[in-house]
Amino acid sequence: MSGFDRRTFLTVLAAAGAGAGIGVPLLSGIAGSSSTGTVLRSQLALPEPFTVPFTVPPVLAPTGDRYEIVQRAATAEILPGVPTPIWGYNGIFPGPTIVSRSGDPAVVHHRNALPVPVVAHLHGGHTPASSDGYPTDLIVPAGAMPTMPTMPGMPGMPTLADPRATVTVGERTYTYPLRQRAATLWYHDHRMGFTGASVWRGLAGFHLVHDDEEDALPLPRGDRDLPLMIADRAFAADGSLRYPSVDPTLQRTPGVSTAYSGGVLGDVILVNGRPWPLAPVPAVRHRLRILNASNARRYSLALDPPPPGGGGLVQIGSDGGLLDRPRVHDAIEVAPAERFDVVADFGRYPVGSKVTLVNRFGSGSTAVVMRFHVTRRERDDTRVPATLSTIEQLDPTHAVATRTLLFQDHGGAMGWQINGHPFSPGYATATPRLGSIEVWRLISDFHHPIHLHLVHFQVLGRGLSGPGAYDAGWKDTLDLRPAEEAAIVARFDDYAGRFVFHCHNLEHEDMAMMANFQTA
Ligand code: C2O
Ligand code: CU
Ligand code: CU
């Protein structure tokens, strides 16, 4: 259903009697099958898949006791021989990987050398509000005036100033306590109204957290522990990245043109900023830290051919770190912003095998992601233990509140709404008491990957069923599918303040599918 237009989809839903999207059964054949969005085509010749070498982003060395990042425009060679203007953390896409230890605070100083305001957010971080990258806590370009952010240019809406915004000029220091488990986190831009366009231009990077528990396990590490940032993009004839912004200056009017308001899907699949790369690997277990950094595209990832007997992707971790025990999958479905840590054992293939990571939700150029070429035997002392970690099961009967959140399209420029409201910095949809457990019922019309800041949660169930096959462990993003209702449970701990939760389809997010919760 890639390329399926949102309006058409709405018609289908209405025809199925599911227009309200509340309490309706899953639409089989639609739910779980693809993405909400429209494909933007590239306008130049694309390279043959599996010809560009796979690389991993460089690890950032600290400067003294902090990390220094300059957000700046740069030129990247993403397609061979084609210069592409990007915005990058330290001028590269993906940005440099920050590697931290659980409990050791990471201090990251961002300098903004871009022509627009920026906000840096550590996705999956258990972070105090002051460093969480609230969408109006802007770093404006040096030389700009620190004026109060308003919700810009929304037709028919009053201008909303955010009196609690903290605007800094030129630079800002974020402090991440990282009192959390080992996990694959990522950082990306989070400016109100313009996150989709800014991430599309390149503002995304990995932030990995390690801890003693994970280090003690015999899992693949070093150059057998590969982060894979998967993102789709489209290119214009001149090599620039295509994106259908209403305001190409990314200064005033947020959002994308109507045809793409369901989400922007590209026709080039990048892994760590390279199109359909080729990775030579020894015939041993590898840990693949899969991150879907796409704006709107969902993937069903599998190894092709599958290893003998199947079960090619052994999931060991989720958004919030290790699972209690491994889950064996033939394929995994990954919505935007979700992470799946899997172990793939290339020792199950003969040397010389070409193993393709395919996308069963894709077609044509988007049906393949990257390829592994099994080049040689090597010693492998790793294994996937039957027990990985201990996970405290949150007890929903201890919940002090149950909240219902509707994620629905109401049409128009701010049409993606939560409980019938477009995003407003001034309004708290939920007010959890610090330390308390709450159950949130999330109800959707289309695909909406729902992300909560501050907390990790557990999935209690979908519809009348239990958690889905991809819902295990601690999550910070839930792949909510069309006309679906899911229940999650979370404990709102440690940090008082204002945080957002939102749809992580970045076009939906920019067009107002975001809301606040206020912990106290
Ligand atoms: Cu990945 Cu609110 O962000
Ligand atoms: Cu986040
Ligand atoms: Cu959405």
Side-chain angles (χ1 to χ4, degrees):
M1 207 186 58
S2 306
F4 208 104
D5 177 79
R6 177 159 72 100
R7 303 293 154 186
T8 319
F9 195 173
L10 196 64
T11 314
V12 172
L13 281 176
I22 304 167
V24 297
L26 215 72
L27 295 175
S28 57
I30 294 181
S33 63
S34 193
S35 311
T36 298
T38 305
V39 178
L40 190 60
R41 302 249 164 243
S42 293
Q43 299 166 322
L44 41 57
L46 298 174
E48 279 296 303
F50 324 128
T51 53
V52 172
F54 170 84
T55 56
V56 299
V59 171
L60 186 62
T63 306
D65 54 5
R66 69 183 196 181
Y67 293 93
E68 301 277 1
I69 291 180
V70 181
Q71 304 192 24
R72 60 182 177 86
T75 303
E77 186 181 328
I78 298 173
L79 305 175
V82 178
T84 296
I86 61 158
W87 286 353
Y89 294 116
N90 286 349
I92 57 174
F93 167 55
T97 298
I98 298 177
V99 180
S100 294
R101 285 207 74 81
S102 170
D104 285 357
V107 179
V108 185
H109 176 262
H110 280 265
R111 190 157 69 75
N112 180 13
L114 291 167
V116 298
V118 296
V119 173
H121 168 60
L122 176 61
H123 182 122
H126 183 54
T127 306
S130 56
S131 280
D132 193 47
Y134 189 82
T136 54
D137 287 343
L138 308 175
I139 314 174
V140 297
M145 285 294 293
T147 49
M148 192 80 78
T150 53
M151 193 74 184
M154 292 298 192
M157 293 295 297
T159 299
L160 299 165
D162 179 9
R164 292 161 73 184
T166 60
V167 179
T168 60
V169 180
E171 59 190 328
R172 184 180 182 113
T173 302
Y174 298 86
T175 301
Y176 304 116
L178 298 176
R179 285 165 38 201
Q180 59 188 104
R181 315 168 75 222
T184 303
L185 312 183
W186 61 303
Y187 62 103
H188 61 77
D189 195 62
H190 213 302
R191 177 166 56 119
M192 184 170 69
F194 299 95
T195 296
S198 302
V199 170
W200 187 270
R201 290 189 191 197
L203 294 179
F206 280 105
H207 190 145
L208 309 181
V209 180
H210 296 293
D211 66 10
D212 295 344
E213 177 188 43
E214 189 177 273
D215 284 354
L217 298 177
L219 296 169
R221 62 190 70 223
D223 57 7
R224 299 175 182 181
D225 176 352
L226 304 175
L228 306 183
M229 179 189 286
I230 302 175
D232 58 341
R233 294 290 185 270
F235 293 83
D238 63 0
S240 63
L241 291 161
R242 283 192 85 192
Y243 188 81
S245 294
V246 173
D247 170 11
T249 69
L250 309 191
Q251 300 274 8
R252 284 176 296 275
T253 311
V256 292
S257 58
T258 314
Y260 296 92
S261 60
V264 180
L265 308 172
D267 59 356
V268 177
I269 307 295
L270 305 178
V271 181
N272 297 340
R274 302 287 186 110
W276 308 287
L278 174 69
V281 288
V284 297
R285 282 180 203 88
H286 283 70
R287 175 175 182 166
L288 309 177
R289 297 174 184 261
I290 294 167
L291 158 66
N292 181 358
S294 307
N295 284 30
R297 184 178 289 280
R298 296 171 70 249
Y299 299 81
S300 174
L301 301 173
L303 296 177
D304 180 37
L313 300 173
V314 179
Q315 187 191 356
I316 57 167
S318 183
D319 305 337
L322 291 172
L323 306 183
D324 51 352
R325 57 181 175 80
R327 305 291 197 285
V328 179
H329 302 288
D330 292 319
I332 52 169
E333 293 180 14
V334 195
E338 283 191 297
R339 283 88 71 211
F340 284 82
D341 278 15
V342 301
V343 172
D345 184 1
F346 298 110
R348 296 172 72 188
Y349 294 91
V351 167
S353 299
K354 295 189 165 83
V355 183
T356 306
L357 186 66
V358 296
N359 171 26
R360 291 178 177 168
F361 287 162
S363 60
S365 67
T366 62
V368 290
V369 175
M370 67 175 290
R371 175 170 284 174
F372 299 95
H373 183 195
V374 184
T375 51
R376 60 187 186 280
R377 294 269 151 222
E378 243 176 49
R379 187 184 157 83
D380 193 355
D381 296 325
T382 68
R383 62 194 174 80
V384 179
T387 300
L388 296 165
S389 183
T390 309
I391 291 191
E392 175 205 0
Q393 292 300 317
L394 295 184
D395 184 347
T397 66
H398 292 161
V400 299
T402 298
R403 303 182 194 274
T404 300
L405 291 311
L406 306 179
F407 297 83
Q408 289 174 315
D409 176 25
H410 293 262
M414 291 176 83
W416 294 107
Q417 300 184 355
I418 301 176
N419 287 0
H421 300 290
F423 179 54
S424 160
Y427 177 71
T429 299
T431 51
R433 196 158 42 78
L434 266 190
S436 70
I437 290 176
E438 297 198 353
V439 169
W440 288 18
R441 295 169 60 230
L442 312 173
I443 300 171
S444 65
D445 51 2
F446 304 109
H447 287 286
H448 297 298
I450 306 304
H451 170 51
L452 275 62
H453 285 219
L454 181 68
V455 299
H456 286 91
F457 54 80
Q458 293 170 356
V459 181
L460 295 170
R462 291 173 182 265
L464 299 175
S465 322
Y470 314 109
D471 292 337
W474 288 104
K475 299 282 297 166
D476 59 46
T477 307
L478 174 84
D479 180 18
L480 193 62
R481 295 167 303 190
E484 189 171 48
E485 172 178 339
I488 61 171
V489 58
R491 185 190 286 120
F492 293 80
D493 253 344
D494 293 333
Y495 303 119
R498 178 181 60 161
F499 298 90
V500 290
F501 65 101
H502 57 89
C503 178
H504 218 290
N505 173 316
L506 297 182
E507 285 73 40
H508 297 189
E509 174 181 345
D510 283 343
M511 291 183 290
M513 192 171 261
M514 178 145 64
N516 300 290
F517 64 92
Q518 172 84 38
T519 54

